[in-house]
Amino acid sequence: MTTTAPRGQGVGATVRQVGVEEELLLVDTVTGQLRPVAGELIAAFGPGPGGAVEVKHEFFSSQVEVTSSPHTALSAIRDELQAARTRLAHVGAAYGVAPLAVPGPVLAGDGSGPDLSPGDRYAAIEQHYGDVARRSLMCALHVHVDVTDDEEGVAVIDRVRPWIPVLLAISANSPYWHGHDSGYESWRSRQWNMWPTSGPAEPFGSAAAYQKVVGEMVSRGAALDVGMVNLDVRLSHRYPTVEFRAPDVCTDLDDAMLVAALARALVTHLADQWRDGMPAEEWRVDELRAAAWRASRFGLRGTLVSPLTRDLTGAGHLLRQMADLLAEPLAATGDASSVARGLAALVERGHGASRQRQALASPRAQMMDIVADLRMRTVATS
């Protein structure tokens, strides 16, 4: 990805580029159970439509990662991800496999086999982390947003912390896990917290302090390398970006693009505050963990901790406040109307977890009905 101008809003300003990574499960088209065939599908997928996206191995061989190229227009990212999902479904049909945009195994018995992807690094991760690694079959949505340099990136990381639970609530898409109702809207995010470097961090204050903390995580063995620093939001070790890592993978691409649009607007808004000399608000890590728990437990069905007032606030009201706060950067990137539509859609049809619960609402419905609905929506064009 390429860097952008310092300010992402205003007349003549350069719009920050965005890149999106989404992890997908591979399931049998008949049984709905996981199939460890990532290697075969990646080889058959080839370079993809016009070479625009990458499909890569993840930790388990029953999942793949799809990576968009960087764009300023989120519609271009949506088109790339849609094309990749469609191609994966077409290629997978020959193997009796379908892609599933869901954060974790829905059916009982899935994810318990030794289907780790081949490679020395994956073997080292399993050996070092044990059952934390072996039980971590889950799929997230990662959003990269350009920053000018590491100092701007860390300034954003320090200021965006209370907004991460809100993005998680929007993306919440994992109520069912291994055949049972977790009682949560995002059970994946609870599972993710098993990793020693996951979750929110204390403010860093500078790029040098950030790099010092990351170095200590590696030297002390909490992270095998910088790629294993699983903070909710971090400096990418590959691109000049800040990387949002907390959201669930979204079945509906419109929800994913809503998260991406809001993430970019937050980066711009908070970078501008930093550049104008506004200090980061003080939030304790225990406050942030409590806010994230509430987002994962209730999603958009109840109240969330407001980053604006610190009070419990109705989710719908907080989303409207968020859109108002970010109106200027959303308008500057051309995302205002799509965000308004996305927020309205969440109110009308519910977020991902709600839609999974709806698929099981009929008295005669079974867990396979959820898988069938997920399969359909993973490749839906609108």
Side-chain angles (χ1 to χ4, degrees), residues 233-278:
V233 58
R234 69 182 186 183
L235 293 179
S236 171
H237 62 286
R238 294 175 295 172
Y239 309 117
T241 65
V242 290
E243 180 183 3
F244 293 77
R245 298 173 57 80
D248 280 357
V249 70
C250 297
T251 309
D252 298 284
L253 279 171
D254 287 343
D255 292 349
M257 294 304 99
L258 175 61
V259 172
L262 292 171
R264 173 164 63 181
L266 281 167
V267 170
T268 294
H269 174 71
L270 296 170
D272 287 350
Q273 284 191 345
W274 166 69
R275 194 163 286 103
D276 291 340
M278 294 181 62

mmCIF file of all heavy atoms in Angstrom, residues 233-278:
data_model
loop_
_atom_site.group_PDB
_atom_site.id
_atom_site.type_symbol
_atom_site.label_atom_id
_atom_site.label_comp_id
_atom_site.label_asym_id
_atom_site.label_seq_id
_atom_site.Cartn_x
_atom_site.Cartn_y
_atom_site.Cartn_z
ATOM 1 N N VAL A 233 -5.677 -3.052 17.388
ATOM 2 C CA VAL A 233 -5.241 -2.206 16.273
ATOM 3 C C VAL A 233 -3.749 -2.009 16.435
ATOM 4 O O VAL A 233 -3.249 -1.783 17.539
ATOM 5 C CB VAL A 233 -6.025 -0.873 16.231
ATOM 6 C CG1 VAL A 233 -5.865 -0.092 17.518
ATOM 7 C CG2 VAL A 233 -5.624 -0.020 15.038
ATOM 8 N N ARG A 234 -3.015 -2.132 15.325
ATOM 9 C CA ARG A 234 -1.556 -2.125 15.400
ATOM 10 C C ARG A 234 -0.985 -1.454 14.162
ATOM 11 O O ARG A 234 -1.693 -1.234 13.167
ATOM 12 C CB ARG A 234 -1.021 -3.548 15.506
ATOM 13 C CG ARG A 234 -1.214 -4.372 14.226
ATOM 14 C CD ARG A 234 -0.719 -5.793 14.359
ATOM 15 N NE ARG A 234 -0.785 -6.499 13.074
ATOM 16 C CZ ARG A 234 -0.465 -7.778 12.898
ATOM 17 N NH1 ARG A 234 -0.046 -8.497 13.926
ATOM 18 N NH2 ARG A 234 -0.535 -8.330 11.698
ATOM 19 N N LEU A 235 0.288 -1.148 14.215
ATOM 20 C CA LEU A 235 1.010 -0.795 12.997
ATOM 21 C C LEU A 235 1.253 -2.079 12.212
ATOM 22 O O LEU A 235 1.729 -3.078 12.770
ATOM 23 C CB LEU A 235 2.353 -0.143 13.321
ATOM 24 C CG LEU A 235 2.340 1.226 14.000
ATOM 25 C CD1 LEU A 235 3.780 1.687 14.245
ATOM 26 C CD2 LEU A 235 1.586 2.258 13.175
ATOM 27 N N SER A 236 0.940 -2.070 10.941
ATOM 28 C CA SER A 236 1.229 -3.242 10.124
ATOM 29 C C SER A 236 2.737 -3.417 10.011
ATOM 30 O O SER A 236 3.474 -2.440 9.879
ATOM 31 C CB SER A 236 0.619 -3.085 8.735
ATOM 32 O OG SER A 236 1.062 -4.118 7.876
ATOM 33 N N HIS A 237 3.167 -4.680 10.046
ATOM 34 C CA HIS A 237 4.593 -4.938 9.865
ATOM 35 C C HIS A 237 4.949 -5.110 8.395
ATOM 36 O O HIS A 237 6.111 -5.311 8.057
ATOM 37 C CB HIS A 237 5.012 -6.184 10.652
ATOM 38 C CG HIS A 237 4.335 -7.447 10.203
ATOM 39 N ND1 HIS A 237 3.017 -7.730 10.494
ATOM 40 C CD2 HIS A 237 4.786 -8.505 9.479
ATOM 41 C CE1 HIS A 237 2.688 -8.899 9.976
ATOM 42 N NE2 HIS A 237 3.747 -9.387 9.352
ATOM 43 N N ARG A 238 3.935 -5.010 7.520
ATOM 44 C CA ARG A 238 4.173 -5.182 6.079
ATOM 45 C C ARG A 238 3.888 -3.927 5.267
ATOM 46 O O ARG A 238 4.495 -3.719 4.219
ATOM 47 C CB ARG A 238 3.300 -6.322 5.542
ATOM 48 C CG ARG A 238 3.649 -7.695 6.088
ATOM 49 C CD ARG A 238 2.670 -8.732 5.591
ATOM 50 N NE ARG A 238 1.315 -8.485 6.098
ATOM 51 C CZ ARG A 238 0.238 -9.139 5.705
ATOM 52 N NH1 ARG A 238 0.326 -10.047 4.751
ATOM 53 N NH2 ARG A 238 -0.940 -8.874 6.244
ATOM 54 N N TYR A 239 2.955 -3.117 5.726
ATOM 55 C CA TYR A 239 2.513 -1.954 4.948
ATOM 56 C C TYR A 239 2.577 -0.696 5.809
ATOM 57 O O TYR A 239 2.571 -0.776 7.046
ATOM 58 C CB TYR A 239 1.067 -2.143 4.477
ATOM 59 C CG TYR A 239 0.793 -3.452 3.791
ATOM 60 C CD1 TYR A 239 -0.099 -4.369 4.325
ATOM 61 C CD2 TYR A 239 1.420 -3.778 2.578
ATOM 62 C CE1 TYR A 239 -0.365 -5.573 3.697
ATOM 63 C CE2 TYR A 239 1.164 -4.974 1.944
ATOM 64 C CZ TYR A 239 0.276 -5.879 2.516
ATOM 65 O OH TYR A 239 0.014 -7.069 1.901
ATOM 66 N N PRO A 240 2.593 0.491 5.186
ATOM 67 C CA PRO A 240 2.557 1.740 5.958
ATOM 68 C C PRO A 240 1.128 2.074 6.381
ATOM 69 O O PRO A 240 0.527 3.072 5.954
ATOM 70 C CB PRO A 240 3.120 2.768 4.966
ATOM 71 C CG PRO A 240 2.701 2.244 3.630
ATOM 72 C CD PRO A 240 2.772 0.746 3.731
ATOM 73 N N THR A 241 0.557 1.239 7.228
ATOM 74 C CA THR A 241 -0.846 1.355 7.609
ATOM 75 C C THR A 241 -1.025 1.112 9.096
ATOM 76 O O THR A 241 -0.161 0.527 9.759
ATOM 77 C CB THR A 241 -1.719 0.315 6.872
ATOM 78 O OG1 THR A 241 -1.336 -1.000 7.300
ATOM 79 C CG2 THR A 241 -1.561 0.422 5.363
ATOM 80 N N VAL A 242 -2.179 1.539 9.600
ATOM 81 C CA VAL A 242 -2.694 0.995 10.845
ATOM 82 C C VAL A 242 -3.669 -0.112 10.455
ATOM 83 O O VAL A 242 -4.403 -0.002 9.474
ATOM 84 C CB VAL A 242 -3.377 2.049 11.730
ATOM 85 C CG1 VAL A 242 -2.355 2.998 12.302
ATOM 86 C CG2 VAL A 242 -4.457 2.804 10.989
ATOM 87 N N GLU A 243 -3.662 -1.196 11.239
ATOM 88 C CA GLU A 243 -4.440 -2.384 10.901
ATOM 89 C C GLU A 243 -5.434 -2.674 12.024
ATOM 90 O O GLU A 243 -5.057 -2.929 13.164
ATOM 91 C CB GLU A 243 -3.500 -3.578 10.715
ATOM 92 C CG GLU A 243 -4.209 -4.868 10.351
ATOM 93 C CD GLU A 243 -3.242 -6.044 10.250
ATOM 94 O OE1 GLU A 243 -2.035 -5.860 10.512
ATOM 95 O OE2 GLU A 243 -3.707 -7.153 9.928
ATOM 96 N N PHE A 244 -6.720 -2.604 11.677
ATOM 97 C CA PHE A 244 -7.794 -2.933 12.613
ATOM 98 C C PHE A 244 -8.021 -4.440 12.544
ATOM 99 O O PHE A 244 -8.334 -4.982 11.485
ATOM 100 C CB PHE A 244 -9.078 -2.192 12.231
ATOM 101 C CG PHE A 244 -9.000 -0.702 12.399
ATOM 102 C CD1 PHE A 244 -8.333 0.093 11.477
ATOM 103 C CD2 PHE A 244 -9.612 -0.074 13.474
ATOM 104 C CE1 PHE A 244 -8.268 1.474 11.624
ATOM 105 C CE2 PHE A 244 -9.556 1.306 13.639
ATOM 106 C CZ PHE A 244 -8.877 2.079 12.709
ATOM 107 N N ARG A 245 -7.918 -5.129 13.697
ATOM 108 C CA ARG A 245 -7.953 -6.590 13.701
ATOM 109 C C ARG A 245 -9.074 -7.173 14.561
ATOM 110 O O ARG A 245 -9.242 -8.391 14.614
ATOM 111 C CB ARG A 245 -6.609 -7.125 14.217
ATOM 112 C CG ARG A 245 -5.436 -6.748 13.341
ATOM 113 C CD ARG A 245 -4.102 -7.145 13.955
ATOM 114 N NE ARG A 245 -4.000 -8.561 14.251
ATOM 115 C CZ ARG A 245 -3.716 -9.501 13.354
ATOM 116 N NH1 ARG A 245 -3.522 -9.158 12.081
ATOM 117 N NH2 ARG A 245 -3.634 -10.775 13.707
ATOM 118 N N ALA A 246 -9.847 -6.328 15.234
ATOM 119 C CA ALA A 246 -10.850 -6.831 16.164
ATOM 120 C C ALA A 246 -12.125 -7.360 15.512
ATOM 121 O O ALA A 246 -12.744 -8.269 16.052
ATOM 122 C CB ALA A 246 -11.210 -5.749 17.177
ATOM 123 N N PRO A 247 -12.581 -6.823 14.363
ATOM 124 C CA PRO A 247 -13.899 -7.224 13.862
ATOM 125 C C PRO A 247 -13.980 -8.687 13.435
ATOM 126 O O PRO A 247 -13.004 -9.279 12.970
ATOM 127 C CB PRO A 247 -14.113 -6.294 12.654
ATOM 128 C CG PRO A 247 -13.252 -5.111 12.919
ATOM 129 C CD PRO A 247 -12.040 -5.666 13.606
ATOM 130 N N ASP A 248 -15.202 -9.242 13.585
ATOM 131 C CA ASP A 248 -15.520 -10.532 12.989
ATOM 132 C C ASP A 248 -15.529 -10.406 11.477
ATOM 133 O O ASP A 248 -15.857 -9.332 10.938
ATOM 134 C CB ASP A 248 -16.929 -10.980 13.409
ATOM 135 C CG ASP A 248 -16.988 -11.580 14.804
ATOM 136 O OD1 ASP A 248 -15.939 -11.709 15.451
ATOM 137 O OD2 ASP A 248 -18.101 -11.923 15.237
ATOM 138 N N VAL A 249 -15.225 -11.506 10.766
ATOM 139 C CA VAL A 249 -15.461 -11.505 9.335
ATOM 140 C C VAL A 249 -16.965 -11.365 9.121
ATOM 141 O O VAL A 249 -17.776 -11.919 9.875
ATOM 142 C CB VAL A 249 -14.916 -12.781 8.659
ATOM 143 C CG1 VAL A 249 -15.725 -14.014 9.032
ATOM 144 C CG2 VAL A 249 -14.852 -12.609 7.151
ATOM 145 N N CYS A 250 -17.347 -10.613 8.116
ATOM 146 C CA CYS A 250 -18.762 -10.330 7.845
ATOM 147 C C CYS A 250 -19.249 -11.191 6.687
ATOM 148 O O CYS A 250 -18.609 -11.226 5.633
ATOM 149 C CB CYS A 250 -18.952 -8.858 7.499
ATOM 150 S SG CYS A 250 -18.514 -7.721 8.841
ATOM 151 N N THR A 251 -20.386 -11.846 6.866
ATOM 152 C CA THR A 251 -20.962 -12.621 5.770
ATOM 153 C C THR A 251 -21.388 -11.702 4.640
ATOM 154 O O THR A 251 -21.140 -11.982 3.459
ATOM 155 C CB THR A 251 -22.165 -13.442 6.268
ATOM 156 O OG1 THR A 251 -21.786 -14.174 7.430
ATOM 157 C CG2 THR A 251 -22.645 -14.411 5.195
ATOM 158 N N ASP A 252 -22.024 -10.590 4.984
ATOM 159 C CA ASP A 252 -22.487 -9.637 3.980
ATOM 160 C C ASP A 252 -21.389 -8.604 3.730
ATOM 161 O O ASP A 252 -20.960 -7.907 4.659
ATOM 162 C CB ASP A 252 -23.761 -8.945 4.461
ATOM 163 C CG ASP A 252 -24.898 -9.936 4.664
ATOM 164 O OD1 ASP A 252 -25.474 -10.368 3.664
ATOM 165 O OD2 ASP A 252 -25.169 -10.289 5.834
ATOM 166 N N LEU A 253 -20.965 -8.499 2.488
ATOM 167 C CA LEU A 253 -19.866 -7.592 2.162
ATOM 168 C C LEU A 253 -20.221 -6.132 2.433
ATOM 169 O O LEU A 253 -19.327 -5.328 2.709
ATOM 170 C CB LEU A 253 -19.443 -7.775 0.705
ATOM 171 C CG LEU A 253 -18.506 -8.958 0.453
ATOM 172 C CD1 LEU A 253 -18.314 -9.191 -1.038
ATOM 173 C CD2 LEU A 253 -17.162 -8.744 1.133
ATOM 174 N N ASP A 254 -21.496 -5.786 2.372
ATOM 175 C CA ASP A 254 -21.869 -4.410 2.697
ATOM 176 C C ASP A 254 -21.521 -4.083 4.155
ATOM 177 O O ASP A 254 -21.126 -2.952 4.461
ATOM 178 C CB ASP A 254 -23.368 -4.195 2.459
ATOM 179 C CG ASP A 254 -23.711 -4.136 0.981
ATOM 180 O OD1 ASP A 254 -22.789 -3.939 0.158
ATOM 181 O OD2 ASP A 254 -24.902 -4.284 0.641
ATOM 182 N N ASP A 255 -21.661 -5.063 5.053
ATOM 183 C CA ASP A 255 -21.276 -4.838 6.446
ATOM 184 C C ASP A 255 -19.766 -4.650 6.565
ATOM 185 O O ASP A 255 -19.288 -3.797 7.325
ATOM 186 C CB ASP A 255 -21.712 -6.016 7.312
ATOM 187 C CG ASP A 255 -23.226 -6.122 7.448
ATOM 188 O OD1 ASP A 255 -23.927 -5.172 7.056
ATOM 189 O OD2 ASP A 255 -23.697 -7.164 7.944
ATOM 190 N N ALA A 256 -19.000 -5.446 5.810
ATOM 191 C CA ALA A 256 -17.540 -5.303 5.822
ATOM 192 C C ALA A 256 -17.125 -3.927 5.327
ATOM 193 O O ALA A 256 -16.217 -3.291 5.883
ATOM 194 C CB ALA A 256 -16.895 -6.392 4.977
ATOM 195 N N MET A 257 -17.777 -3.451 4.261
ATOM 196 C CA MET A 257 -17.429 -2.141 3.727
ATOM 197 C C MET A 257 -17.841 -1.021 4.668
ATOM 198 O O MET A 257 -17.193 0.034 4.722
ATOM 199 C CB MET A 257 -18.080 -1.949 2.352
ATOM 200 C CG MET A 257 -17.545 -2.900 1.275
ATOM 201 S SD MET A 257 -15.741 -2.810 1.038
ATOM 202 C CE MET A 257 -15.205 -4.237 2.008
ATOM 203 N N LEU A 258 -18.910 -1.230 5.442
ATOM 204 C CA LEU A 258 -19.299 -0.251 6.455
ATOM 205 C C LEU A 258 -18.206 -0.135 7.514
ATOM 206 O O LEU A 258 -17.807 0.974 7.896
ATOM 207 C CB LEU A 258 -20.623 -0.660 7.085
ATOM 208 C CG LEU A 258 -21.116 0.193 8.254
ATOM 209 C CD1 LEU A 258 -21.351 1.627 7.822
ATOM 210 C CD2 LEU A 258 -22.392 -0.414 8.848
ATOM 211 N N VAL A 259 -17.705 -1.275 7.989
ATOM 212 C CA VAL A 259 -16.614 -1.258 8.961
ATOM 213 C C VAL A 259 -15.392 -0.551 8.379
ATOM 214 O O VAL A 259 -14.752 0.275 9.053
ATOM 215 C CB VAL A 259 -16.262 -2.691 9.403
ATOM 216 C CG1 VAL A 259 -15.003 -2.702 10.272
ATOM 217 C CG2 VAL A 259 -17.423 -3.329 10.155
ATOM 218 N N ALA A 260 -15.065 -0.846 7.111
ATOM 219 C CA ALA A 260 -13.892 -0.241 6.473
ATOM 220 C C ALA A 260 -14.056 1.267 6.341
ATOM 221 O O ALA A 260 -13.107 2.034 6.589
ATOM 222 C CB ALA A 260 -13.652 -0.876 5.107
ATOM 223 N N ALA A 261 -15.247 1.714 5.949
ATOM 224 C CA ALA A 261 -15.484 3.152 5.790
ATOM 225 C C ALA A 261 -15.357 3.880 7.121
ATOM 226 O O ALA A 261 -14.755 4.961 7.204
ATOM 227 C CB ALA A 261 -16.863 3.385 5.182
ATOM 228 N N LEU A 262 -15.931 3.299 8.175
ATOM 229 C CA LEU A 262 -15.858 3.936 9.484
ATOM 230 C C LEU A 262 -14.430 3.912 10.027
ATOM 231 O O LEU A 262 -13.986 4.888 10.660
ATOM 232 C CB LEU A 262 -16.807 3.233 10.452
ATOM 233 C CG LEU A 262 -18.300 3.415 10.149
ATOM 234 C CD1 LEU A 262 -19.140 2.506 11.032
ATOM 235 C CD2 LEU A 262 -18.724 4.870 10.315
ATOM 236 N N ALA A 263 -13.694 2.831 9.767
ATOM 237 C CA ALA A 263 -12.300 2.763 10.209
ATOM 238 C C ALA A 263 -11.474 3.858 9.545
ATOM 239 O O ALA A 263 -10.678 4.544 10.215
ATOM 240 C CB ALA A 263 -11.723 1.385 9.907
ATOM 241 N N ARG A 264 -11.643 4.027 8.227
ATOM 242 C CA ARG A 264 -10.882 5.080 7.539
ATOM 243 C C ARG A 264 -11.261 6.461 8.064
ATOM 244 O O ARG A 264 -10.382 7.313 8.276
ATOM 245 C CB ARG A 264 -11.116 5.008 6.032
ATOM 246 C CG ARG A 264 -10.483 6.183 5.295
ATOM 247 C CD ARG A 264 -10.348 5.970 3.812
ATOM 248 N NE ARG A 264 -11.622 5.816 3.132
ATOM 249 C CZ ARG A 264 -11.744 5.593 1.810
ATOM 250 N NH1 ARG A 264 -10.654 5.525 1.055
ATOM 251 N NH2 ARG A 264 -12.918 5.446 1.243
ATOM 252 N N ALA A 265 -12.552 6.701 8.271
ATOM 253 C CA ALA A 265 -12.976 8.008 8.770
ATOM 254 C C ALA A 265 -12.421 8.269 10.167
ATOM 255 O O ALA A 265 -12.032 9.404 10.489
ATOM 256 C CB ALA A 265 -14.502 8.086 8.770
ATOM 257 N N LEU A 266 -12.385 7.231 11.002
ATOM 258 C CA LEU A 266 -11.799 7.395 12.334
ATOM 259 C C LEU A 266 -10.314 7.745 12.249
ATOM 260 O O LEU A 266 -9.827 8.611 12.989
ATOM 261 C CB LEU A 266 -11.988 6.110 13.142
ATOM 262 C CG LEU A 266 -13.367 5.882 13.752
ATOM 263 C CD1 LEU A 266 -13.502 4.446 14.244
ATOM 264 C CD2 LEU A 266 -13.642 6.855 14.897
ATOM 265 N N VAL A 267 -9.586 7.073 11.366
ATOM 266 C CA VAL A 267 -8.163 7.373 11.209
ATOM 267 C C VAL A 267 -7.965 8.838 10.833
ATOM 268 O O VAL A 267 -7.130 9.548 11.420
ATOM 269 C CB VAL A 267 -7.524 6.439 10.161
ATOM 270 C CG1 VAL A 267 -6.104 6.912 9.810
ATOM 271 C CG2 VAL A 267 -7.477 5.001 10.678
ATOM 272 N N THR A 268 -8.729 9.301 9.868
ATOM 273 C CA THR A 268 -8.596 10.688 9.427
ATOM 274 C C THR A 268 -8.971 11.661 10.538
ATOM 275 O O THR A 268 -8.237 12.621 10.821
ATOM 276 C CB THR A 268 -9.492 10.926 8.196
ATOM 277 O OG1 THR A 268 -8.984 10.156 7.113
ATOM 278 C CG2 THR A 268 -9.501 12.388 7.801
ATOM 279 N N HIS A 269 -10.097 11.418 11.165
ATOM 280 C CA HIS A 269 -10.573 12.310 12.224
ATOM 281 C C HIS A 269 -9.575 12.382 13.383
ATOM 282 O O HIS A 269 -9.239 13.479 13.866
ATOM 283 C CB HIS A 269 -11.934 11.803 12.716
ATOM 284 C CG HIS A 269 -12.473 12.535 13.901
ATOM 285 N ND1 HIS A 269 -12.950 13.830 13.828
ATOM 286 C CD2 HIS A 269 -12.609 12.153 15.216
ATOM 287 C CE1 HIS A 269 -13.362 14.225 15.028
ATOM 288 N NE2 HIS A 269 -13.165 13.225 15.879
ATOM 289 N N LEU A 270 -9.071 11.244 13.806
ATOM 290 C CA LEU A 270 -8.182 11.208 14.972
ATOM 291 C C LEU A 270 -6.784 11.703 14.638
ATOM 292 O O LEU A 270 -6.116 12.330 15.478
ATOM 293 C CB LEU A 270 -8.148 9.795 15.538
ATOM 294 C CG LEU A 270 -9.507 9.308 16.074
ATOM 295 C CD1 LEU A 270 -9.453 7.824 16.396
ATOM 296 C CD2 LEU A 270 -9.944 10.118 17.281
ATOM 297 N N ALA A 271 -6.323 11.446 13.409
ATOM 298 C CA ALA A 271 -5.024 11.996 12.996
ATOM 299 C C ALA A 271 -5.077 13.513 12.946
ATOM 300 O O ALA A 271 -4.106 14.195 13.333
ATOM 301 C CB ALA A 271 -4.631 11.431 11.631
ATOM 302 N N ASP A 272 -6.199 14.043 12.509
ATOM 303 C CA ASP A 272 -6.347 15.500 12.487
ATOM 304 C C ASP A 272 -6.362 16.075 13.903
ATOM 305 O O ASP A 272 -5.781 17.128 14.169
ATOM 306 C CB ASP A 272 -7.634 15.884 11.754
ATOM 307 C CG ASP A 272 -7.535 15.685 10.248
ATOM 308 O OD1 ASP A 272 -6.415 15.426 9.756
ATOM 309 O OD2 ASP A 272 -8.571 15.775 9.570
ATOM 310 N N GLN A 273 -7.029 15.382 14.821
ATOM 311 C CA GLN A 273 -7.014 15.841 16.213
ATOM 312 C C GLN A 273 -5.590 15.869 16.761
ATOM 313 O O GLN A 273 -5.189 16.826 17.435
ATOM 314 C CB GLN A 273 -7.882 14.917 17.070
ATOM 315 C CG GLN A 273 -9.375 15.120 16.930
ATOM 316 C CD GLN A 273 -10.147 14.370 17.987
ATOM 317 O OE1 GLN A 273 -9.618 13.479 18.662
ATOM 318 N NE2 GLN A 273 -11.411 14.726 18.169
ATOM 319 N N TRP A 274 -4.846 14.807 16.493
ATOM 320 C CA TRP A 274 -3.454 14.744 16.953
ATOM 321 C C TRP A 274 -2.640 15.882 16.357
ATOM 322 O O TRP A 274 -1.876 16.555 17.067
ATOM 323 C CB TRP A 274 -2.862 13.394 16.568
ATOM 324 C CG TRP A 274 -1.370 13.304 16.673
ATOM 325 C CD1 TRP A 274 -0.619 13.311 17.806
ATOM 326 C CD2 TRP A 274 -0.438 13.202 15.580
ATOM 327 N NE1 TRP A 274 0.731 13.203 17.492
ATOM 328 C CE2 TRP A 274 0.864 13.137 16.132
ATOM 329 C CE3 TRP A 274 -0.583 13.128 14.195
ATOM 330 C CZ2 TRP A 274 2.003 13.025 15.349
ATOM 331 C CZ3 TRP A 274 0.550 13.012 13.414
ATOM 332 C CH2 TRP A 274 1.835 12.967 13.983
ATOM 333 N N ARG A 275 -2.804 16.097 15.077
ATOM 334 C CA ARG A 275 -2.028 17.143 14.412
ATOM 335 C C ARG A 275 -2.408 18.536 14.929
ATOM 336 O O ARG A 275 -1.592 19.459 14.936
ATOM 337 C CB ARG A 275 -2.241 17.045 12.900
ATOM 338 C CG ARG A 275 -1.226 17.856 12.090
ATOM 339 C CD ARG A 275 -1.188 17.419 10.640
ATOM 340 N NE ARG A 275 -0.512 16.141 10.504
ATOM 341 C CZ ARG A 275 -1.116 14.968 10.318
ATOM 342 N NH1 ARG A 275 -2.425 14.890 10.272
ATOM 343 N NH2 ARG A 275 -0.423 13.854 10.210
ATOM 344 N N ASP A 276 -3.639 18.678 15.396
ATOM 345 C CA ASP A 276 -4.088 19.952 15.957
ATOM 346 C C ASP A 276 -3.727 20.100 17.432
ATOM 347 O O ASP A 276 -4.107 21.086 18.075
ATOM 348 C CB ASP A 276 -5.607 20.092 15.790
ATOM 349 C CG ASP A 276 -6.011 20.282 14.336
ATOM 350 O OD1 ASP A 276 -5.152 20.685 13.524
ATOM 351 O OD2 ASP A 276 -7.179 20.008 14.007
ATOM 352 N N GLY A 277 -3.023 19.114 17.980
ATOM 353 C CA GLY A 277 -2.536 19.214 19.350
ATOM 354 C C GLY A 277 -3.488 18.735 20.418
ATOM 355 O O GLY A 277 -3.246 18.952 21.616
ATOM 356 N N MET A 278 -4.574 18.045 20.029
ATOM 357 C CA MET A 278 -5.517 17.538 21.019
ATOM 358 C C MET A 278 -4.977 16.244 21.633
ATOM 359 O O MET A 278 -4.617 15.316 20.900
ATOM 360 C CB MET A 278 -6.886 17.285 20.378
ATOM 361 C CG MET A 278 -7.584 18.544 19.895
ATOM 362 S SD MET A 278 -9.224 18.188 19.179
ATOM 363 C CE MET A 278 -10.054 17.484 20.609
#
